[in-house]
Amino acid sequence: MGTESIDRSEGFGERLLGLLLDRARLLPPQMIAPLIAEGVARIGGRDVSILLQDYAQELLVPLPGTKLHVAQPEPVTDSPAGRAFLRGDRVEVPQAGGGVRIYLPLLDGSDQVGVMALTLDAVGDDDRRLLHRLSSLVADMLVTKNAYTDQFFQTRRREPMSVSAEIQWSLLPPLTMSVPQVKVAGALEPAYRVAGDSFDYALNGNILHMAVIDAMGHGLDAATMATVAIGAYRHARRVFISLDEKYAFMDDAISRQFGPDHFVTAQLMHLNIATGEMELVNAGHPAPLLIRGGRVVQQLESATTLPVGFGGEMPRVREHVLQPDDRVLCYTDGIIDEHVASGEPFGEERLIRCVNRLGEDPSEGVRADLRRLSHTLKSERGGRTTDDATLFMIEWNGGTADHLATLD
């Protein structure tokens, strides 16, 4: 189909997006992909693929569906789809037989849902604007319909998943969040067998609330305890203000439900995204790493606090002040307690060396950098992850974003 016969005017684009939105509202989940392919065909596009990230963050897997182009999964590393996904930006690849293959990140807010790929005979600025809006609408539709179906989960799952891992993935917030002042990203290992590790965050006003937890034990017992800990944390976050009150509420919930022989290590933070002031309570975790200019400059120490569930005293909150573009890396002991080939524990020094080595390369953003760190650490450990392991990174960029609240 020649590009001259395709209506790509601004008015047509708005009508197309409106039509897709109106029809998607009442369609069953399995009809969303064909609807997207039909919409793309109206602007002369073909070979439409919807690619979703697998749970191990290694592949972008094509969603099956009528009218969709379904090929082999594409690696997140070293593929055009992967570059679009990690950078959150459009990638265009001229095709040998003519036309341009376009890869568009599917962003729900700032969380990368996946990638939409399609081919046009030619692409201009009007096409790019329309496709940018279309990809945003597609991401919203996928996230909304995900609550009503297992189809997207089954596409993303590349190997059998334990019941405990199913529970943990259902608990998690989006793996990434990005606003002008702050960005966060998290990763869990092993993706298909994780049990007791989890993290949570919320941005309420100028305060970023964050928690990383590690419930003792393995399997369903650990997953159950983690579920109660995260539930108690969210309840406290929505009722109380201070970190010490959050800790006390979680401590009471775990001790009442599981008794004195069970515990959850936890790291709780408040970050004022307007000022960079950070409060920290560390209940049994390794100290977070402060990364400045790509290198670890210190460990963020805090007063000794018993793990959640032991009925300890109210913790003392430690205060730190970040500088613009500082990063804070939180991690659970599964990262450093894993043994390398020689039999020695991986250890904090090796972790710091890996962070510093990655910092020598240009940053591709928090999500891409954390993923690269996670895969580097796994490679350094010889591919072993015998215990749950969590990485969570915060990047504070400073400044304010009041201008984003207004429309020109």
Side-chain angles (χ1 to χ4, degrees):
M1 182 178 293
T3 57
E4 68 279 2
S5 63
I6 303 302
D7 185 352
R8 300 180 186 175
S9 65
E10 186 76 13
F12 173 78
E14 295 298 332
R15 293 194 301 274
L16 173 61
L17 296 176
L19 176 64
L20 290 173
L21 187 58
D22 289 342
R23 292 182 60 187
R25 184 173 60 87
L26 296 176
L27 280 182
Q30 69 270 19
M31 295 303 296
I32 290 298
L35 177 65
I36 294 167
E38 179 185 329
V40 170
R42 294 193 179 203
I43 60 171
R46 60 185 182 275
D47 296 335
V48 180
S49 296
I50 304 296
L51 305 166
L52 304 180
Q53 179 188 219
D54 78 318
Y55 282 98
Q57 301 189 54
E58 295 175 348
L59 296 171
L60 290 164
V61 187
L63 181 69
T66 306
K67 300 183 181 180
L68 287 180
H69 177 68
V70 180
Q72 292 298 312
E74 298 199 31
V76 174
T77 303
D78 296 329
S79 74
R83 289 198 299 275
F85 178 76
L86 290 174
R87 298 174 184 175
D89 201 3
R90 181 188 66 253
V91 171
E92 298 178 9
V93 180
Q95 301 296 284
V100 180
R101 188 72 172 162
I102 306 169
Y103 299 86
L104 298 137
L106 299 175
L107 303 176
D108 175 46
S110 55
D111 184 37
Q112 285 105 323
V113 176
V115 171
M116 180 172 69
L118 59 100
T119 300
L120 288 174
D121 289 333
V123 57
D125 289 342
D126 289 342
D127 304 312
R128 295 183 179 99
R129 280 191 291 269
L130 177 57
L131 290 173
H132 174 75
R133 295 172 181 175
L134 178 61
S135 64
S136 296
L137 178 58
V138 170
D140 288 342
M141 289 192 293
L142 291 174
V143 170
T144 300
K145 296 298 182 179
N146 183 57
Y148 304 103
T149 184
D150 291 326
Q151 180 187 8
F152 306 147
F153 171 86
Q154 290 166 336
T155 298
R156 296 179 62 196
R157 185 180 62 187
R158 302 296 292 169
E159 61 183 77
M161 183 177 283
S162 68
V163 175
S164 59
E166 295 253 14
I167 292 172
Q168 289 300 72
W169 281 104
S170 69
L171 277 179
L172 287 177
L175 295 181
T176 59
M177 181 196 71
S178 177
V179 296
Q181 303 99 320
V182 69
K183 300 173 178 63
V184 303
L188 288 184
E189 300 175 1
Y192 294 96
R193 299 185 307 279
V194 66
D197 274 26
S198 192
F199 63 84
D200 196 38
Y201 65 86
L203 181 59
N204 297 327
N206 278 337
I207 304 300
L208 175 68
H209 304 252
M210 188 279 293
V212 174
I213 68 160
D214 181 2
M216 66 170 285
H218 302 279
L220 276 176
D221 288 343
T224 302
M225 206 181 321
T227 300
V228 173
I230 290 294
Y233 169 73
R234 287 174 177 168
H235 178 80
R237 188 181 71 211
R238 294 160 183 168
V239 175
F240 303 129
I241 297 176
S242 66
L243 281 183
D244 54 4
E245 288 176 312
K246 289 186 175 71
Y247 169 88
F249 192 88
M250 294 170 66
D251 182 77
D252 183 66
I254 295 297
S255 62
R256 285 178 180 270
Q257 184 66 32
F258 300 100
D261 296 330
H262 293 73
F263 65 89
V264 176
T265 58
Q267 206 161 71
L268 310 177
M269 288 184 184
H270 285 172
L271 172 63
N272 187 318
I273 66 170
T275 66
E277 296 171 314
M278 189 180 73
E279 297 178 331
L280 169 65
V281 167
N282 196 351
H285 275 197
L289 302 178
L290 176 62
I291 303 168
R292 183 170 293 159
R295 298 188 61 82
V296 176
V297 295
Q298 71 177 92
Q299 295 177 306
L300 298 178
E301 301 293 345
S302 60
T304 301
T305 300
L306 288 174
V308 169
F310 278 164
E313 298 178 355
M314 290 289 277
R316 286 183 292 170
V317 177
R318 183 67 182 268
E319 297 182 355
H320 300 276
V321 180
L322 303 184
Q323 296 180 13
D325 300 324
D326 277 354
R327 288 178 169 181
V328 176
L329 178 66
C330 304
Y331 58 96
T332 57
D333 59 8
I335 295 288
I336 57 175
D337 288 350
E338 187 64 69
H339 290 76
V340 296
S342 63
E344 299 176 355
F346 187 81
E348 291 180 346
E349 290 187 5
R350 282 190 178 90
L351 169 61
I352 291 172
R353 285 201 298 269
C354 287
V355 173
N356 290 342
R357 190 166 68 244
L358 290 177
E360 295 172 358
D361 298 326
S363 172
E364 295 183 331
V366 171
R367 173 69 175 274
D369 290 353
L370 187 74
R371 178 190 172 277
R372 194 156 52 103
L373 175 61
S374 175
H375 286 250
T376 296
L377 294 175
K378 188 174 180 179
S379 176
E380 291 281 329
R381 299 193 305 265
R384 288 182 293 274
T385 305
T386 57
D387 190 15
D388 295 345
T390 298
L391 293 168
F392 189 86
M393 184 178 286
I394 304 169
E395 179 182 278
W396 183 64
N397 302 122
T400 61
D402 293 340
H403 64 282
L404 294 179
T406 62
L407 296 174
D408 294 331

